[in-house]
Amino acid sequence: MKKWTVQCGFAAYYANTVTVEADTLAEALERAIVTANESDGWKPFDDCGPTFVDAVAEGDDADPWREFASSLPVPPRFSERGEPVAVTVTVSGGTVQQVEIEGGRAIVHVRDYDTEGAAPGIPDLHIDADGDTYALADWSNFSLPDETAESPCPTPENAKGETNGTASHPDR
C-alpha cells in the first residue's frame, strides 16, 4: 500500500462589518473591502466550511508545496470549490429545446450562430468580437444584480488593503 501526504483544510469564516460612503454600489463594495482589510474589526464566526484537500503528494515525507514539484492534481470533488456545475444545452432543429443545470446555480447563455436569413437590425441579434451575428438566449437559473463590483488591483500605495474582489482577512 502506498503512503500519501495530504494537506487538508477548511474555511474558517471571519466577518468585519464596515460602513462606507460612495456614489455607486460598485464603489461602495470596493471601498468596503479596502476598509475592512485595513481595520482590526474582524470577528470569527462559529461555523466553518467542509474539509477539503489543499494539496497532495505521494510518499510519507513528501512536501506537496515544494515548488509544486511533487503536488498531484486534486479531483474537483475533494477541492474547496467542489464539483463544477454541469450545464447541458439541448438543441434540435436550430432551436434550444432544453437546458439542464445540475449541481448548483449557473449563468447559461446560449449563442446561436444559425442566423442566416434573419432580418438585419432585429434587437435579439448580437455581433461578437469577430463580427459574426448570433442570437442570445439566457437560460440561467438565477440572475446577477444589474451592476457587479470589481475591486481595484493592488497599488503600491495600498497593497495590503486591496484584494481584487475577495474579502480576505489580512492576518491569514
Side-chain angles (χ1 to χ4, degrees), residues 79-144:
S79 72
E80 185 173 11
R81 293 190 117 152
E83 290 283 355
V85 173
V87 178
T88 304
V89 178
T90 304
V91 179
S92 178
T95 303
V96 175
Q97 301 295 319
Q98 183 176 349
V99 173
E100 293 179 32
I101 302 169
E102 297 176 26
R105 300 182 319 162
I107 296 173
V108 180
H109 291 167
V110 178
R111 290 185 177 195
D112 182 358
Y113 285 89
D114 187 16
T115 60
E116 188 175 323
I122 294 177
D124 291 340
L125 295 181
H126 302 273
I127 298 175
D128 67 12
D130 295 327
D132 296 324
T133 303
Y134 65 93
L136 180 64
D138 185 347
W139 288 75
S140 306
N141 63 354
F142 78 104
S143 58
L144 292 173

Side-chain angles (χ1 to χ4, degrees), residues 39-91:
S39 79
D40 59 0
W42 290 92
K43 295 181 176 85
F45 282 169
D46 289 335
D47 8 322
C48 62
T51 301
F52 56 87
V53 174
D54 282 318
V56 59
E58 189 173 342
D60 61 351
D61 61 349
D63 179 1
W65 293 108
R66 188 185 66 241
E67 299 176 12
F68 300 105
S70 60
S71 184
L72 299 171
V74 176
R77 72 186 186 107
F78 297 106
S79 72
E80 185 173 11
R81 293 190 117 152
E83 290 283 355
V85 173
V87 178
T88 304
V89 178
T90 304
V91 179

